[in-house]
Amino acid sequence: MTVENVSTPTLLRRLLIVYFVYLAAAKLGLLVPYVGSQIALIWLSSGIAIAAILRWGPLCTIPVYLASFTANLDIDVTWTMAAQMSIGNPIGPLAVTLLLRHFRFNLALDSMRDILLLPVAVLAGMLITATSGVLVLRSAGVIDGDWLQAWLVWWLGDSVGALLILPLLLSLDRDGVRTLWQHRVKILLCFSVFALADWYVFDFLKTQGDQFIWMSFVLLPLVIWAAMRYGISGASAIILGISLVGVWSTFNQRGLFYHNDMNQSIFSLWMFMAVMVIIALMVTMLQAGRQRSERALRDSESKLRAMINGALDAIITIDEQGKIVEFNPAAEQIFGYRRDEVLGQALVDVIIPPDMRRAHQEAYARFIRTGDQKILGRRLELAAMRADGSEFPIELTVTSLREQGLPYVTGFIRDITERRQAEKDIRNLAFFDPLTELPNRRLLMDRLQQALASSSRTRKYGAVVFIDLDNFKIINDSRGHDYGDLLLVEVARRLRHCVRAEDTVSRLSGDEFVIILEDLTTDMAQAATEARVVGEKILQVVHQSYRLKEVEYHNSGSIGICLFRGSETSVEELLKRADTAMYQAKAAGRNLLKFHDPQMQEALELRMELESQLRTALLNQQFLLLYQPQVDTGRRIFCAEVLLRWNHPQRGWLSPTEFIATAEESGLIVAIGHWVLFHACLQLKAWESARHGMEIQLAVNVSARQFRQPNFVDEVRQVLLQTGANPELLKLELTESVVLDNMAEAVQKMRELRSMGVRFAMDDFGTGYSSLAYLKRLPLTQVKIDQSFVRDIAVDSNDAAIVQAIIAMSDTLGLEVIAEGVETEAQFALLKQYGCEQFQGFLFGRPMVLAELESMLVQNGLSFGGNYSENSASH
């Protein structure tokens, strides 16, 4: 048995309450004794003791014993006898309490099990009280007669008394007392009515035989009403009052229960009180069960209402006539109606769009008529209407309550506007370019595949139009990418206006656009004409001026077109062919349109293959340096130009004219140029061991892309440091186009290298601008007269005049002049006559390997102590 932990003052206060209440009840019970003054007809104190021990613990047996001892002293017994008679009074209630605790008795008394358990436990516990008291009285000689009847009266008096007051004491708590106090006026009025009824029934109705005992039960409806109205507390109080009046009337030989045989009167009275208590307990139990059911129903309804009101989805319930009977807050928010506005209205008039109302009514009528289950539980996506008349997409799930006996159909509705938008956004991200909102590469490939399939069916030609903006990089670099984006958006807009609605305009990547023209015609020539018309229209609109913020910009585009019919050609191949045609348009001068040419495609594929082979050549050291001597007027070698050859595994030796262009376009020229420069410097270092202090120079050609590298000066400096070559012997040959693209940057780089000792020669002079204005700004050491002027110098007076002018100009600027392409003695003689002092050409030697060059140098009077072979060098 567990006891609540309380403070000492609280415990003492409780013990005093038990003492005085028990003593008062005992005094009241002794006013109606059975034998002398020792045995009472109804002993309420037992119920008080049981309730106290149940609520406050076993310590309450102490005040119970003391109060019983005090009460017994008032019935003219000795102290010893009073002490002995009081022993059973706390032990019996304690036994009752132990039994109730063992069987997990519920103080609420709201189940049949607890109602049956209470009287059984009380009757069992009171056996101890009655047996102990009767034994003391008999041993003292107070009971000389029928001691068994006295024991029965004691036992039943204690049991009935306990059962009369226990329900009241067990059911009362602070809330219960507060409730009774709040209804004190009503309760006093009811007690007044019951008092009058008791007085009339038990005091003025005289018994004229046993047949009138049943009239005592006319008070039963009042007891039932009290039990239903105020619970077990009210019913117990009423029964207790009725019982006290009945006991008093019977004791005074009056009322319905009085009989000449006192034993019969007592047992009738006890039977009446027991029946009343049991009926009150049963009514209270039934009432509690009903209240529990009502409470559970209210809780269920409250939870259901909370779930409905808290649901994020709209919940709308309609009856068999299609009228709304439920409209939750989410529905109010989604549809824009208040709940009281739509209850009782037809659903079709509230949320169904006008064009769908008839179909909805027919479908719902069919469901009501046939019970069609197809729509139940399925997620349906359809359109709904808000209060403002706007339509929006919803997801609907329908359930029916007809199987539960309710003629209702409920729809769970979710607004999927945001989900549809998200799906659209995801689709756009997957298939559309976010900047121009045109189809991207993925969607383009899909539509082109569909166009090929359609062409197979109709046998009509289609066309792939590949558009690339010319010089798009300029606006990005000069104005920034935001201006470039504006240009792309405007181009996309213009392209859409150039084609039909069924044609596809897409952005492939960067500044590349692709248009698919479908269903042109079955005649190839006519289809080409139609495609050309569209292409020329595109060229025209793209070339028109653009207003980009505050900037007016002009641009152009290059277009490649490839026709197709059927699906013999793959999507990838079509795009590649159109791309190739576009590059042909760019090569032809830009702002042009070109159709795909198979020969051009073949050349492009060969170029791509050659680019791959060039990369392999770099890795596998397949390059070789040749040298062509440069001589003075006495034909003595003072320099050699380094020339590159490629030992191709399949094609043999290749000259630069066969691969340099590809190397330039692919960017490999930078790596190749570095390789040539490095190995030339290695050879210069190797020649330093020449016996007579060899000072032969090497001239190395530098490509435009290599020279424009930001780190070109550092690259040359690093090569010179790594090889240890004398920079005075290194001569770099540049063309006019290299330096004219960015004169200031070119001059800066040349001066930095010239400060190291590196020499510069202007190659192919005379074929470009050949302006004195820029020539005097460049830190050159040599000018090379292009061989095109030297070739006809002996027969063409114009060429002769140009050569003389170049020589005179160079002499004025203090520059050396070398003529390349000298092949005849006549050319050599004229050049010397004009004042040229340096020469290069087949007349003096073709490009040769290193050993041949050194052999010529020996013939010129030089000998070597060592040389470098690039075939065995590693870099």
Side-chain angles (χ1 to χ4, degrees):
M1 182 182 300
T2 59
V3 182
E4 179 185 359
N5 292 324
V6 295
S7 62
T8 302
T10 302
L11 178 61
L12 291 175
R13 185 168 62 252
R14 288 180 176 181
L15 295 179
L16 287 174
I17 291 173
V18 173
Y19 174 81
F20 286 112
V21 172
Y22 188 95
L23 181 61
K27 292 284 189 178
L28 181 63
L30 290 174
L31 292 178
V32 189
Y34 171 67
V35 178
S37 60
Q38 292 83 13
I39 302 178
L41 292 179
I42 179 169
W43 190 252
L44 300 176
S45 299
S46 296
I48 295 171
I50 295 170
I53 297 172
L54 274 174
R55 285 185 174 272
W56 294 339
L59 283 177
C60 292
T61 56
I62 297 174
V64 168
Y65 177 79
L66 295 177
S68 177
F69 174 73
T70 304
N72 286 334
L73 289 177
D74 292 340
I75 58 176
D76 299 328
V77 296
T78 63
W79 285 61
T80 304
M81 186 176 177
Q84 292 175 347
M85 289 178 62
S86 301
I87 292 174
N89 289 332
I91 296 176
L94 181 61
V96 173
T97 303
L98 292 174
L99 282 172
L100 293 177
R101 293 284 187 184
H102 177 74
F103 290 103
R104 302 181 184 278
F105 174 73
N106 185 2
L107 299 182
L109 284 170
D110 56 356
S111 68
M112 181 61 71
R113 173 184 176 278
D114 294 324
I115 291 174
L116 295 177
L117 178 61
L118 182 63
V120 171
V122 168
L123 289 171
M126 295 305 100
L127 289 173
I128 298 174
T129 304
T131 302
S132 173
V134 169
L135 287 177
V136 172
L137 291 176
R138 186 176 182 186
S139 63
V142 177
I143 301 177
D144 295 329
D146 191 355
W147 63 269
L148 184 60
Q149 185 174 352
W151 176 85
L152 182 60
V153 171
W154 192 314
W155 176 52
L156 292 178
D158 279 13
S159 299
V160 172
L163 291 175
L164 280 175
I165 200 169
L166 257 180
L168 174 63
L169 297 178
L170 294 180
S171 61
L172 278 182
D173 52 15
R174 290 183 179 179
D175 293 336
V177 172
R178 190 179 298 112
T179 301
L180 292 176
W181 179 253
Q182 291 174 351
H183 298 87
R184 57 188 180 277
V185 176
K186 293 181 181 179
I187 293 174
L188 287 175
L189 181 61
C190 291
F191 267 86
S192 300
V193 173
F194 277 108
L196 290 174
D198 285 348
W199 176 67
Y200 177 76
V201 171
F202 292 110
D203 202 28
F204 284 92
L205 286 178
K206 305 298 182 180
T207 56
Q208 299 179 4
D210 294 340
Q211 64 272 24
F212 287 101
I213 294 178
W214 61 268
M215 294 184 64
S216 61
F217 289 96
V218 297
L219 298 176
L220 184 59
L222 295 177
V223 174
I224 295 174
W225 174 84
M228 296 182 66
R229 182 66 179 83
Y230 299 108
I232 192 61
S233 302
S236 297
I238 298 301
I239 294 172
L240 181 61
I242 294 173
S243 300
L244 290 176
V245 173
V247 170
W248 182 260
S249 299
T250 303
F251 179 73
N252 289 285
Q253 299 181 357
R254 303 171 70 177
L256 296 175
F257 299 105
Y258 175 73
H259 196 273
N260 293 329
D261 184 356
M262 193 60 182
N263 291 330
Q264 184 175 351
S265 299
I266 292 172
F267 283 106
S268 298
L269 182 59
W270 281 338
M271 184 63 64
F272 170 75
M273 289 187 289
V275 170
M276 283 292 189
V277 170
I278 293 173
I279 290 175
L281 288 174
M282 295 291 291
V283 171
T284 303
M285 180 198 70
L286 294 174
Q287 180 70 358
R290 184 179 66 83
Q291 290 176 348
R292 279 199 308 273
S293 299
E294 291 178 351
R295 225 173 12 250
L297 181 59
R298 285 195 299 271
D299 290 344
S300 177
E301 290 178 351
S302 176
K303 291 177 182 177
L304 180 60
R305 174 54 55 188
M307 291 174 59
I308 291 175
N309 291 343
L312 298 178
D313 293 343
I315 300 177
I316 302 178
T317 301
I318 59 176
D319 58 18
E320 291 186 341
Q321 286 72 43
K323 294 184 178 181
I324 298 174
V325 297
E326 179 56 60
F327 201 82
N328 73 334
E332 294 179 333
Q333 184 176 1
I334 291 174
F335 292 98
Y337 293 100
R338 293 198 312 274
R339 186 171 185 269
D340 55 358
E341 289 179 334
V342 298
L343 291 182
Q345 293 193 39
L347 180 70
V348 293
D349 298 329
V350 177
I351 69 169
I352 305 299
D355 57 342
M356 296 176 59
R357 290 175 181 174
R358 182 171 182 178
H360 170 82
Q361 289 174 325
E362 292 176 353
Y364 189 65
R366 184 168 57 254
F367 171 77
I368 295 299
R369 185 175 63 256
T370 64
D372 187 4
Q373 304 291 310
K374 292 181 180 179
I375 64 170
L376 298 182
R378 294 174 54 194
R379 292 184 178 181
L380 309 174
E381 292 189 6
L382 42 87
M385 184 178 66
R386 292 190 176 93
D388 59 6
S390 61
E391 295 187 14
F392 65 105
I394 62 169
E395 180 183 82
L396 170 66
T397 303
V398 179
T399 61
S400 175
L401 301 179
R402 298 178 74 183
E403 293 184 357
Q404 288 74 34
L406 299 175
Y408 299 137
V409 174
T410 298
F412 298 86
I413 300 172
R414 177 172 298 175
D415 184 354
I416 59 172
T417 303
E418 292 184 359
R419 192 179 79 187
R420 286 278 183 88
Q421 185 61 43
E423 291 173 352
K424 181 180 179 181
D425 292 342
I426 292 172
R427 182 178 179 274
N428 287 340
L429 288 173
F431 296 104
F432 290 86
D433 172 50
L435 177 64
T436 61
E437 299 182 357
L438 294 177
N440 60 11
R441 184 183 186 89
R442 177 183 294 181
L443 186 55
L444 168 69
M445 303 293 278
D446 181 68
R447 291 190 178 177
L448 187 52
Q449 189 66 54
Q450 294 178 18
L452 293 176
S454 175
S455 177
S456 296
R457 293 192 303 270
T458 63
R459 304 308 298 167
K460 290 183 178 181
Y461 279 94
V464 176
V465 182
F466 200 113
I467 306 148
D468 183 88
L469 301 182
D470 297 330
N471 302 315
F472 178 71
K473 187 175 183 295
I474 293 177
I475 190 171
N476 271 341
D477 293 343
S478 61
R479 293 288 180 176
H481 288 276
D482 54 338
Y483 282 84
D485 290 346
L486 290 174
L487 177 62
L488 292 174
V489 172
E490 179 60 21
V491 169
R493 186 189 67 81
R494 295 183 183 185
L495 292 179
R496 278 194 290 258
H497 285 84
C498 291
V499 297
R500 301 165 300 180
E502 61 267 26
D503 296 326
T504 297
V505 180
S506 68
R507 182 188 177 197
L508 191 62
S509 64
D511 61 335
E512 295 178 336
F513 298 85
V514 174
I515 297 177
I516 304 174
L517 303 177
E518 297 187 58
D519 295 331
L520 296 178
T521 181
T522 55
D523 181 70
M524 183 176 180
Q526 182 63 29
T529 301
E530 293 178 7
R532 179 178 293 277
V533 170
V534 175
E536 290 175 347
K537 183 179 180 181
I538 291 172
L539 286 177
Q540 181 181 359
V541 299
V542 171
H543 193 56
Q544 293 174 359
S545 63
Y546 299 83
R547 189 69 184 178
L548 308 177
K549 295 184 180 179
E550 75 287 354
V551 177
E552 185 173 351
Y553 181 75
H554 290 81
N555 194 46
S556 62
S558 299
I559 298 178
I561 301 178
C562 179
L563 296 178
F564 65 85
R565 185 170 72 170
S567 54
E568 292 83 4
T569 307
S570 67
V571 170
E572 294 78 6
E573 182 64 24
L574 279 176
L575 288 176
K576 185 169 67 173
R577 292 179 180 180
D579 188 24
T580 303
M582 182 273 295
Y583 274 109
Q584 186 183 22
K586 280 191 178 294
R590 304 177 187 272
N591 196 27
L592 294 173
L593 181 153
K594 293 289 184 180
F595 278 82
H596 172 258
D597 183 357
Q599 293 180 351
M600 178 188 63
Q601 179 68 27
E602 183 180 358
L604 179 62
E605 292 175 355
L606 290 175
R607 187 189 68 79
M608 294 175 63
E609 182 181 0
L610 186 62
E611 178 183 332
S612 176
Q613 293 171 348
L614 273 174
R615 297 181 187 277
T616 304
L618 272 172
L619 293 175
N620 297 338
Q621 298 287 320
Q622 295 176 359
F623 294 112
L624 177 68
L625 294 183
L626 298 183
Y627 305 86
Q628 186 174 26
Q630 296 177 353
V631 302
D632 56 18
T633 55
R635 302 198 183 203
R636 292 179 58 85
I637 300 174
F638 69 92
C639 182
E641 181 179 0
V642 178
L643 301 173
L644 184 66
R645 294 294 183 270
W646 177 12
N647 187 12
H648 194 281
Q650 287 82 35
R651 299 167 60 186
W653 292 102
L654 302 180
S655 68
T657 56
E658 298 182 73
F659 63 84
I660 285 298
T662 301
E664 284 276 4
E665 293 175 5
S666 64
L668 290 172
I669 192 65
V670 175
I672 295 173
H674 180 83
W675 185 90
V676 172
L677 178 64
F678 184 82
H679 286 77
C681 289
L682 282 178
Q683 188 57 56
L684 286 174
K685 180 63 177 176
W687 278 343
E688 285 185 2
S689 60
R691 191 175 308 163
H692 300 292
M694 186 104 169
E695 293 187 358
I696 297 297
Q697 302 173 18
L698 283 182
V700 178
N701 288 283
V702 177
S703 69
R705 178 167 288 192
Q706 183 183 8
F707 184 76
R708 290 173 188 146
Q709 295 297 308
N711 63 338
F712 177 72
V713 174
D714 293 333
E715 177 188 1
V716 176
R717 182 185 294 111
Q718 190 67 26
V719 168
L720 290 171
L721 288 175
Q722 288 178 350
T723 60
N726 183 1
E728 295 287 346
L729 301 178
L730 177 63
K731 181 167 59 178
L732 302 181
E733 294 190 359
L734 306 175
T735 62
E736 291 181 65
S737 60
V738 172
V739 297
L740 288 179
D741 284 348
N742 192 333
M743 175 67 75
E745 181 182 351
V747 170
Q748 178 65 26
K749 290 181 178 180
M750 292 174 69
R751 286 178 177 172
E752 289 185 36
L753 291 173
R754 191 72 190 91
S755 66
M756 302 178 200
V758 178
R759 302 168 185 266
F760 286 96
M762 179 60 69
D763 196 11
D764 299 335
F765 190 79
T767 58
Y769 293 99
S770 304
S771 170
L772 181 63
Y774 81 80
L775 195 62
K776 65 180 183 179
R777 294 178 55 190
L778 300 174
L780 296 170
T781 55
Q782 187 183 66
V783 172
K784 296 185 72 172
I785 303 175
D786 188 71
Q787 60 182 344
S788 62
F789 300 117
V790 175
R791 183 182 305 112
D792 297 326
I793 191 174
V795 295
D796 191 331
S797 58
N798 291 329
D799 287 345
I802 292 173
V803 170
Q804 293 179 63
I806 294 174
I807 294 173
M809 181 177 62
S810 301
D811 184 59
T812 303
L813 296 175
L815 300 176
E816 299 174 355
V817 179
I818 183 171
E820 62 178 349
V822 180
E823 299 180 357
T824 67
E825 291 291 344
Q827 294 170 345
F828 179 51
L830 282 174
L831 288 170
K832 286 196 296 181
Q833 179 182 338
Y834 295 153
C836 183
E837 296 180 349
Q838 297 176 351
F839 312 91
Q840 178 181 347
F842 289 172
L843 180 62
F844 314 106
R846 292 176 176 273
M848 59 192 71
V849 297
L850 179 62
E852 294 178 5
L853 175 64
E854 291 183 344
S855 176
M856 287 185 65
L857 292 172
V858 171
Q859 294 175 10
N860 276 266
L862 297 173
S863 59
F864 297 86
N867 59 64
Y868 159 75
S869 173
E870 64 270 18
N871 291 330
S872 61
S874 62
H875 171 36

